[in-house]
Amino acid sequence: MRIIVHNTKCQGHARCWAHAPDIFKLDDEGYILPGDIKVAEKDERLASQGARSCPERALVIDLTAAA
Amino acid sequence: MRKNQIASNPLPDHVPPEMVRDFSLFTSPGMAPTANGDPHAAVACVHDGPPIFYSPNNTRDGQGTWVITRAKDQRTVLQDTETFSSHRSIFASALGENWPMIPLELDPPAHGIFRSLLNPLFSPQRVTALEPAVRERAVALIDSIAAAGTSCDLMKEFAFPFAVNIFLRFLGLPDDRLTTFVGWGKNLFHGDVPKRLAAAQRIVAFIDELAALRRKVPGDDFMTFVVQAQVQGRPLSDEEVRGIGVLVFAAGLDTVATAIGFDLAYLARNQKDQEWLRSEPDRIVLAAEELLRAYPTVQIIRVATKDIDFEGAPIRKGDYVSCASMIANRDPAEFDCPNTINLAREHNRHTAFAYGPHRCLGSHLARREIVIGLEEWLARIPPFRIKEGTAPIAHGGHVFGIENLILDWS
């Protein structure tokens, strides 16, 4: 699984980070670091929850990508 | 609505009469201060109607706004800062002046410059470091309440002293003026025009004085940071320092205290939920999100920068567009059973802190204060309820609020 990160939509709510700080890493301002996120199989549930918590819809879950 | 308001504020020609609805966050049923009122539930009635309509009297000075009811549409409006500007000098206009609170009333790209300056001070990582001091303050206040008896006026004795103290410390100010500041805030948000003017003047004078002091005698605090800061290789102007100081002052006074008040009023009236959190305090973090969804305090208003037809509404340049968080947070298209408060709700992308670039700068601090306040209250006060013979008074308006919340655990 992969999380597609739309950086321009991130407004620093940090809800993803609250769910999974090790998967969703923030910069010093509290906004998500650029770049899509490859998710290990064991982390998929947590990563999905984090992605689905984004109020801005900045995180898209891509199930087609192999970890 | 008073007659002279109607006369001074006729319906704009471009608004089709069939799009006008008799609804207002100020004058609709349940918005005036009401004993045992539930203003948040009262506004949910708009979801029986169209997704967008025109309210002829929906600001504190009686102006009309479009009202966006759906969360999805509020997200679109609040993300599109080119079409929907946030520059409307809401504070300065009380003084008959025109300068922005910063960064709230700046649009991109100027907004981003100041936001980048201030974001690190309010980041989730930074807030984690502030947590011990916040918890210590909550514990001290609650312990003294518990030692003094078996009931208290929650807003006066806990919610305001707790929330305002945290932000005074942040600004680098002593506690002894806490009551004065709360009074200014009350007049600013809820007072009539003369009171609002007087409060605004006092706040501006106070911020200007504080900035001058911190230029001469730097401390380890927010205002020192602001007066020493640089943007684009230059120091901030006096007006910019004032715009930032006033925003932090106004935003920190009322909102967190009010949220804690509504939350504890809910738990006082719902013993099962109170017990559910008390028995497993780890549930409070998730529950606090649901309480933020159910009891947000702020109506966000944007100004259209150009003519646009939005979901069938002819919005024209200069029109006000209201994105009330308490309305979007009860949108059935966004939330299952929106009028049911479910403390275990998982899918909860509420808009208590707004959407878009102006997402509440203090949201991470506010969240921690609310969670810590609830944790320490439940850990130190036995099962509590609304004191018999008393009735909390809740109101709608510019900023929703609750007063006279007397909790009892005798």
Side-chain angles (χ1 to χ4, degrees), chain B residues 74 293 296-300 323-330 351-352 354:
Chain B
Q74 286 198 8
R293 182 189 72 82
T297 49
V298 181
Q299 166 179 222
I300 298 151
C323 293
S325 53
M326 52 289 288
I327 290 178
N329 280 358
R330 303 267 177 150
T351 175

Side-chain angles (χ1 to χ4, degrees), chain B residues 366-402:
Chain B
R367 277 195 161 98
R368 286 317 295 163
E369 287 180 54
I370 291 167
V371 167
I372 289 168
L374 295 180
E375 283 174 355
E376 297 304 335
W377 186 267
L378 287 166
R380 286 174 160 70
I381 302 290
F384 57 92
R385 59 207 166 271
I386 308 284
K387 189 177 174 72
E388 220 179 292
T390 73
I393 295 169
H395 64 82
H398 182 56
V399 182
F400 280 31
I402 185 165

Side-chain angles (χ1 to χ4, degrees), chain A residues 1-62:
Chain A
M1 187 172 102
R2 183 175 65 132
I3 306 287
I4 301 167
V5 176
H6 295 285
N7 270 88
T8 53
K9 282 193 167 180
C10 175
Q11 305 297 355
H13 294 263
R15 306 320 298 146
C16 57
W17 175 87
H19 274 92
D22 296 330
I23 299 172
F24 301 97
K25 302 220 166 79
L26 308 181
D27 64 18
D28 289 344
E29 292 189 35
Y31 292 61
I32 195 154
L33 290 174
D36 296 345
I37 300 166
K38 277 191 175 177
V39 180
E41 212 173 304
K42 65 176 174 54
D43 293 332
E44 282 189 358
R45 194 167 163 271
L46 209 53
S48 303
Q49 282 178 348
R52 283 202 309 263
S53 72
C54 179
E56 307 287 348
R57 312 295 194 264
L59 302 170
V60 177
I61 299 167
D62 175 13

Side-chain angles (χ1 to χ4, degrees), chain B residues 190-202:
Chain B
H190 312 298
D192 55 17
V193 171
K195 276 188 179 167
R196 202 195 304 169
L197 172 66
Q201 285 168 335
R202 291 205 175 97

Side-chain angles (χ1 to χ4, degrees), chain B residues 33 63 67 69 93 121-122 174 190 269 271 278 310 340 342 371 386 395 406:
Chain B
Q63 300 201 55
V67 177
T69 69
S93 64
L121 302 184
F122 294 92
H190 312 298
R269 290 171 169 134
Q271 295 294 319
R278 192 184 289 284
F310 190 90
T340 303
N342 170 10
V371 167
I386 308 284
H395 64 82
I406 315 297

